[in-house]
């Protein structure tokens, strides 16, 4: 699985964690991260992603399983000996110290001389562009500056591994995007291994070499962002990453390459079987809104169905069409703005078509859920 | 319209201002006044005191002064104010009580000029200059006597300030002892309270609340009950001694004296004052996120270093507030040492109470109280200068 380097630098082996002895917050978490890799653990709040990070940093102990760092188990290594840089959700800068003192703290803890520590602090401050704020206290800095100070402090002692726990959660949208690129740039320049935790799928896509999607304490899928988007392995991933249409149905017949799914008796859809054929005939089909073609040329797409347009939203570069298709009331289609505004109107009946490979037959959703997953 | 609303606000707060004035400022002011303003002798013996003002202080005063004294003592006896006069003069120079009241009695029955001969016959003290010096000094309305006494000093015949005789020096040592005890109790409370507050502040919410209630519980019990329960525990036939004997630690004939001495004062006062240390500490500590210590350890600091550099400095406002509170309360503590302190465990407040209630030397009580008040005030200012009162947090 590793993308760079040889062996795994960080390895979780079937790690489970329970706080109360009953409920597992993390269940059989297995992940290996290569040296220099940027891996994001992505999931909704409460899915156990922060717990994984805490176990790696040494703030929590796994209930079972093992964590290895550089090939050695770290179960008995105390947090202060692990040499891992951690950036916390609320920054956790020391409010009674100046920014320079904050950055000097890890160096002094390692017994650096005054001179070494001053030089290290200066380098790190330059790196995060805070040289002018060295003598300010954290309370006198803006959120973005505090964030950069926290990152500088986690990097100043040149750790091999840096963990970040939703570090951009408290920032506004613009700043968040700027910081994303800054973090990515720093990580690549320093060639440091990074494990990043977030609930924001956009952030995960921008930053990561690979993303581990978690849900309810379990890993759903570990893959590079483009694979997660194009080839989601589970319905949860398909719905969590980007926008997806969902059609529930019964598998009529299937081969390795294609399956035919009867959608509530209203039509038979041809799809690519991802998780089909293990006894259960229920399945959920997912189709990305941008992979649906309006009035396709005959024979171009294996699937063509009539749809009743309910709403057309003009976004600018594309049109967003809400339609009723095969009994699904909120089928969403994104059409590039080539056809122009007004070509499709509410109330029109049109044809939507899509390729077999763009329609993935996944594990069936619990029967209570219907319709399209909300946009993230 | 600003002026009108201000006036209204002032009018509305008048009752409160009056209340504070009557119940707080006035008693305090009259007490402080009493410590240096004492018109008693000047009012009972106005002419004598005035005449003594012109006396050169060398040998005995002239016949005129004797005559005035005889007249005014007679008058005082008739007015029934001679008792207070005798008590007051006795404080100035011990022994004068019987001189004054005895002379008063005789003057009622007999005596005629020349008074300079008659009075020394009634009591030979009137033939010695010291008595007249004492009356002259006591006759001053504004007097440093009480402050001098409170500091183990007195005025000699030449109005020079000298030390009290060694046997009568009490208060300076007592002030030092009181400050020492208050300091020691503050440190004890800090030593017990800091870990306790830490534990409460970083417990899971439910356990934390329960522990906090346990700390607050003593507040809802009468101070007397708490102190007397220490008597039950600590007395010679008490629970603790019985336990020790049962465990074979001490022999029955060697029961430990754990109260009516300094130990009793220490134990009971530390217990009574502990909540005043724990509460400000808890309030500050619960505002320090646990992630701060995690951050410090992730940055490579061992626990002691993380505590010293990260946690302790952030908890200092609570330490300052708690220590100041406990120290000031301990300085003026009265009931607990009175009940369990015995002879050796008495503090300055107990002597103030003694002079208020038993010896009725209110002037001295007022002087002692004022000195205590100023000492605490100075401490407060010192704290402000060093640590800053604005950084002190008593509650969130």
């Amino acid at each position: 699985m590793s993308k760079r380097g040889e062996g795994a630098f960080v390895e979780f082996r079937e790690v489970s964690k329970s706080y109360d002895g009953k409920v597992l917050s993390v269940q059989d978490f297995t992940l290996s991260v290569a040296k220099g890799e940027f891996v994001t653990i992505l999931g909704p709040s409460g899915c156990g992603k922060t717990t994984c990070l805490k176990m790696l940093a040494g703030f929590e102990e796994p209930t079972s399983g093992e964590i290895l760092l550089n090939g050695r188990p770290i179960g008995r290594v105390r947090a202060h000996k692990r040499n891992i840089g951690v950036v916390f959700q609320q920054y956790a800068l020391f409010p009674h110290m100046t920014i320079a003192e904050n950055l000097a703290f890890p160096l002094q803890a390692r017994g650096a001389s005054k001179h070494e520590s001053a030089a290290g602090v200066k380098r790190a401050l330059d790196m995060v562009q805070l040289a002018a704020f060295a003598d300010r206290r954290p309370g006198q800095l803006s959120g973005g500056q505090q964030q950069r100070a926290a990152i500088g402090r986690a990097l100043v002692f040149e750790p091999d591994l840096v963990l970040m726990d939703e570090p951009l959660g408290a920032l506004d949208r613009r700043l968040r995007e700027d910081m994303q690129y800054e973090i990515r740039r720093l990580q690549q320049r320093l060639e440091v291994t990074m494990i990043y935790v977030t609930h924001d799928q956009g952030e995960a896509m921008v930053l990561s070499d690979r993303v581990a999607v978690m849900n309810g304490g379990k890993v759903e899928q570990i893959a590079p962002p483009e694979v997660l988007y194009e080839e989601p392995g589970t319905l949860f991933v398909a719905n969590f990453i980007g926008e997806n249409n969902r059609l529930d149905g019964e598998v009529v017949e299937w081969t390795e390459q294609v399956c035919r799914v009867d959608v509530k008796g209203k039509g038979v859809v041809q799809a690519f079987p991802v998780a089909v054929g293990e006894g259960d005939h229920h399945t959920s089909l997912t189709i990305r809104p941008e992979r649906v073609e309006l009035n396709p040329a005959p024979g171009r797409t294996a699937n063509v169905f009539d749809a009743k347009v309910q709403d057309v939203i003009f976004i600018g570069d594309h049109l967003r069409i809400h339609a009723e298709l095969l009994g699904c009331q909120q089928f969403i289609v994104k059409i590039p703005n080539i056809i122009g505004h007004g070509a499709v109107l509410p109330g029109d009946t049109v044809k939507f078509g899509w390729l077999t490979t763009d329609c993935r037959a996944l594990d069936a959703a619990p029967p209570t859920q219907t319709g399209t997953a909300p946009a993230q | 319209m600003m002026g009108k609303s201000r006036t209204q606000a002032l009018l509305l707060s008048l009752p409160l201002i009056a209340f504070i004035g009557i119940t707080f400022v006035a008693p305090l002011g009259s007490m402080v006044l009493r410590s240096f303003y004492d018109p008693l002798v000047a009012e009972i013996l106005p002419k004598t005191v005035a005449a003594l003002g012109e006396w050169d202080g060398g040998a005995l005063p002239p016949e005129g002064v004797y005559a005035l004294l005889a007249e005014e003592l007679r008058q005082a006896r008739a007015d029934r104010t001679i008792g207070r006069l005798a008590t007051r003069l006795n404080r100035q120079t011990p022994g004068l009580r019987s001189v004054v009241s005895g002379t008063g009695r005789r003057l009622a029955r007999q005596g005629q000029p020349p008074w300079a001969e008659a009075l020394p016959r009634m009591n030979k003290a009137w033939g010695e200059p010291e008595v007249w010096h004492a009356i002259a000094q006591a006759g001053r309305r504004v007097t440093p006597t009480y402050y001098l006494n409170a500091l183990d000093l007195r005025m000699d015949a030449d109005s020079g300030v000298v030390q009290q005789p060694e046997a009568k020096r009490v208060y300076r040592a007592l002030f030092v002892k009181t400050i020492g005890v208050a300091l020691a109790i503050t440190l004890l409370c800090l030593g017990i309270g800091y870990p306790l507050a830490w534990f409460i502040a970083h417990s899971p919410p439910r356990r934390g609340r329960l522990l906090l209630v346990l700390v607050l519980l003593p507040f809802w019990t009468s101070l007397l009950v708490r102190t007397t329960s220490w008597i039950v525990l600590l007395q010679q036939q008490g629970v603790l001694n019985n336990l020790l004997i049962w465990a074979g630690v001490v022999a029955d004939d060697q029961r430990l004296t754990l109260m009516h001495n300094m130990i009793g004062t220490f134990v009971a006062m530390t217990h009574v004052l502990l909540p005043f240390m724990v509460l400000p500490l808890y309030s500050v500590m619960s505002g320090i996120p646990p992630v701060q210590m995690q951050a410090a350890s992730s940055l490579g600091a061992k626990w002691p270093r993380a505590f010293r550099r990260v946690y302790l400095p952030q908890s200092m406002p609570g330490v300052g507030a708690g220590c100041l509170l406990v120290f000031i309360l301990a300085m003026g503590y009265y009931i607990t040492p009175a009940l369990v302190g015995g002879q050796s465990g008495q503090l300055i407040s107990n002597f103030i109470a003694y002079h208020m209630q038993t010896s009725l030397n209110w002037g001295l009580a007022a002087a002692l109280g004022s000195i205590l008040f100023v000492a605490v005030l100075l401490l407060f200012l010192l704290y402000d200068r060093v640590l800053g009162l604005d950084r002190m947090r008593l509650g969130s």
Side-chain angles (χ1 to χ4, degrees):
Chain A
M1 290 292 277
S2 312
K3 210 171 160 185
R4 300 173 197 180
E6 319 79 57
F9 183 61
V10 179
E11 215 178 336
F12 286 81
R13 285 187 186 160
E14 296 183 343
V15 172
S16 295
K17 172 73 184 176
S18 173
Y19 286 100
D20 55 3
K22 290 177 219 147
V23 184
L24 284 174
S25 304
V26 174
Q27 197 176 342
D28 293 330
F29 184 77
T30 297
L31 171 71
S32 70
V33 179
K35 209 169 175 70
E37 198 179 14
F38 195 128
V39 172
T40 297
I41 303 176
L42 172 68
S45 57
C47 73
K49 54 192 192 302
T50 297
T51 306
C52 290
L53 216 60
K54 282 183 175 170
M55 289 189 285
L56 181 53
F59 308 144
E60 300 283 354
E61 272 181 51
T63 310
S64 67
E66 189 171 44
I67 303 173
L68 288 85
L69 185 62
N70 217 355
R72 278 193 299 273
I74 52 170
R76 296 190 177 281
V77 184
R78 306 289 297 274
H80 66 88
K81 294 260 189 204
R82 292 193 183 186
N83 207 34
I84 297 174
V86 184
V87 178
F88 294 86
Q89 217 162 350
Q90 263 75 39
Y91 319 138
L93 291 168
F94 304 137
H96 57 294
M97 299 184 194
T98 65
I99 296 304
E101 285 165 350
N102 263 283
L103 266 68
F105 184 87
L107 300 176
Q108 287 162 356
R110 286 169 173 73
S113 72
K114 257 205 169 111
H115 181 73
E116 288 168 339
S117 142
V121 168
K122 192 182 175 319
R123 261 201 313 279
L125 282 175
D126 287 339
M127 190 169 70
V128 293
Q129 296 158 34
L130 282 177
F133 300 94
D135 295 325
R136 301 259 187 106
R137 283 176 201 278
Q140 298 167 306
L141 300 187
S142 71
Q145 289 164 339
Q146 289 186 40
Q147 180 55 65
R148 286 214 296 274
I151 292 172
R153 193 179 63 174
L155 292 173
V156 69
F157 57 100
E158 296 171 2
D160 304 316
L161 175 62
V162 174
L163 312 180
M164 294 195 181
D165 183 6
E166 307 241 9
L168 308 181
L171 303 183
D172 65 54
R173 196 189 159 84
R174 253 311 274 293
L175 204 52
R176 207 155 59 206
E177 282 169 11
D178 289 346
M179 285 300 297
Q180 283 173 14
Y181 294 110
E182 208 163 324
I183 289 173
R184 182 67 176 150
R185 192 176 51 78
L186 274 174
Q187 186 264 337
Q188 282 172 347
R189 209 179 86 202
L190 301 172
E191 296 181 337
V192 64
T193 312
M194 181 87 83
I195 299 182
Y196 189 98
V197 158
T198 183
H199 67 272
D200 182 326
Q201 46 117 353
E203 215 165 277
M205 301 291 255
V206 169
L207 289 168
S208 325
D209 295 323
R210 284 191 302 144
V211 179
V213 183
M214 281 187 85
N215 184 31
K218 288 192 218 168
V219 174
E220 294 270 341
Q221 189 174 4
I222 304 175
E226 59 275 16
V227 175
L228 279 185
Y229 189 84
E230 299 287 358
E231 299 163 21
T234 67
L235 184 63
F236 177 81
V237 175
N239 286 329
F240 197 73
I241 311 280
E243 212 175 6
N244 244 326
N245 289 300
R246 203 179 88 208
L247 300 168
D248 295 328
E250 305 275 331
V251 179
V252 182
E253 55 178 306
W254 65 281
T255 66
E256 291 271 301
Q257 300 300 320
V258 64
C259 65
R260 292 164 60 77
V261 177
D262 180 10
V263 179
K264 295 168 187 161
K266 296 200 165 126
V268 175
V269 178
Q270 284 198 37
F272 178 76
V274 181
V276 166
E278 281 121 42
D280 194 356
H281 290 291
H282 296 285
T283 187
S284 289
L285 303 171
T286 59
I287 309 121
R288 294 281 179 200
E290 71 273 20
R291 295 293 167 89
V292 177
E293 211 174 321
L294 175 67
N295 298 327
R300 226 187 81 73
T301 54
N303 299 298
V304 180
F305 296 98
D306 283 337
K308 193 164 172 67
V309 177
Q310 288 167 333
D311 202 2
V312 180
I313 300 156
F314 182 73
I315 306 286
D317 60 342
H318 70 271
L319 299 173
R320 186 180 168 89
I321 302 173
H322 291 205
E324 184 192 338
L325 181 143
L326 293 176
C328 170
Q329 297 292 325
Q330 279 279 304
F331 197 84
I332 294 163
V333 177
K334 289 182 192 165
I335 305 291
N337 188 6
I338 307 165
I339 54 172
H341 181 46
V344 183
L345 294 169
D348 287 357
T349 300
V350 295
K351 285 192 187 303
F352 284 145
W354 60 87
L355 300 175
T356 305
T357 47
D358 285 334
C359 180
R360 297 171 68 81
L362 302 169
D363 49 324
T368 47
Q369 293 180 346
T370 50
T372 322
Q376 279 291 316
Chain B
M1 290 302 100
M2 191 65 192
K4 193 179 172 188
S5 66
R6 276 236 180 127
T7 316
Q8 275 180 349
L10 193 68
L11 282 174
L12 280 172
S13 52
L14 263 184
L16 180 68
I17 294 172
F19 179 78
I20 292 176
I22 291 165
T23 61
F24 184 71
V25 179
L28 198 70
S30 93
M31 211 57 216
V32 172
L33 188 69
R34 221 174 262 278
S35 67
F36 62 84
Y37 182 74
D38 185 0
L40 184 93
V41 175
E43 275 168 7
I44 297 176
L45 307 174
K47 294 178 198 159
T48 315
V49 169
L52 277 173
E54 283 151 34
W55 175 43
D56 61 0
L60 289 166
E63 163 67 17
V65 178
Y66 277 90
L68 287 170
L69 180 75
E71 178 199 336
E72 284 180 327
L73 277 182
R74 259 188 188 145
Q75 185 61 42
R77 187 171 158 79
D79 294 347
R80 299 181 183 280
T81 52
I82 196 161
R84 286 197 288 161
L85 179 71
T87 307
R88 172 67 186 85
L89 287 173
N90 194 56
R91 253 176 233 145
Q92 197 74 26
T93 305
L96 270 186
R97 187 197 310 274
S98 56
V99 174
V100 171
S101 48
T103 309
R105 265 196 309 278
R106 289 177 179 211
L107 276 171
R109 280 180 277 121
Q110 59 183 71
Q112 52 198 336
W115 294 109
E117 286 163 29
L119 283 179
R121 268 205 307 279
M122 293 178 188
N123 194 314
K124 64 176 188 284
W126 296 116
E128 292 157 16
E130 283 77 27
V131 181
W132 297 100
H133 283 296
I135 293 175
Q137 277 172 14
R140 293 183 203 150
R141 283 164 194 267
V142 175
T143 170
T145 312
Y146 295 120
Y147 279 103
L148 292 176
N149 284 354
L151 294 169
D152 291 339
L153 300 170
R154 67 183 173 89
M155 235 187 255
D156 64 6
D158 306 326
S159 293
V161 175
V162 294
Q163 298 252 5
Q164 290 273 28
E166 198 143 347
K168 296 182 72 186
R169 288 181 209 161
V170 182
Y171 301 112
R172 258 188 289 176
L174 198 61
F175 271 116
V176 170
K177 179 171 151 191
T178 303
I179 291 171
V181 167
L183 266 180
I185 284 169
T186 306
L187 289 179
L188 270 174
C189 282
L190 183 64
I192 300 170
Y194 197 95
L196 183 62
W198 162 291
F199 187 69
I200 296 173
H202 300 293
S203 284
R206 268 187 68 170
R207 193 171 70 197
R209 272 199 301 277
L210 183 73
L211 287 169
L212 201 61
V213 167
L214 289 180
V215 169
L216 283 173
L217 205 60
F219 269 143
W220 306 332
T221 324
S222 154
L223 178 64
L224 274 171
V225 173
R226 272 178 286 159
T227 307
T228 38
S229 59
W230 276 113
I231 298 179
V232 174
L233 285 172
L234 295 181
Q235 63 189 341
Q236 289 218 310
Q237 303 298 322
V239 177
L240 191 61
N241 261 315
N242 286 344
L243 266 178
L244 287 174
I245 287 160
W246 177 79
V249 181
V250 293
D252 201 5
D253 54 348
Q254 289 174 322
R255 284 174 179 264
L256 302 175
T257 312
L258 297 173
M259 50 172 277
H260 299 311
N261 59 14
M262 220 52 216
I263 299 174
T265 301
F266 267 109
V267 171
M269 276 181 72
T270 304
H271 170 240
V272 168
L273 293 176
L274 192 59
F276 294 98
M277 181 63 84
V278 172
L279 288 180
L281 276 174
Y282 166 79
S283 122
V284 169
M285 283 176 175
S286 57
I288 303 174
V291 78
Q292 287 274 319
M293 284 297 274
Q294 291 182 354
S297 76
S298 84
L299 293 170
K302 283 186 196 145
W303 196 88
R305 184 189 191 86
F307 175 78
R308 202 178 66 243
R309 293 285 316 279
V310 174
Y311 198 90
L312 189 62
Q314 293 189 54
S315 67
M316 276 320 275
V319 173
C323 285
L324 194 66
L325 212 56
V326 170
F327 185 80
I328 288 175
L329 286 170
M331 284 276 280
Y333 233 68
Y334 160 65
I335 288 210
T336 305
L339 287 177
V340 297
Q343 279 288 317
S344 62
Q346 301 293 303
L347 301 179
I348 196 77
S349 306
N350 304 103
F351 277 77
I352 295 176
Y354 168 78
H355 287 303
M356 289 293 292
Q357 296 164 351
T358 310
S359 81
L360 299 182
N361 188 354
W362 284 20
L364 182 56
L368 288 170
S370 301
I371 291 172
L372 189 65
F373 180 62
V374 169
V376 168
L377 212 61
L378 283 178
L379 192 86
F380 208 63
L381 293 175
L382 185 76
Y383 179 92
D384 186 32
R385 182 64 59 84
V386 177
L387 284 168
L389 280 176
D390 48 339
R391 285 191 58 218
M392 180 168 82
R393 294 224 310 265
L394 292 174
S396 46

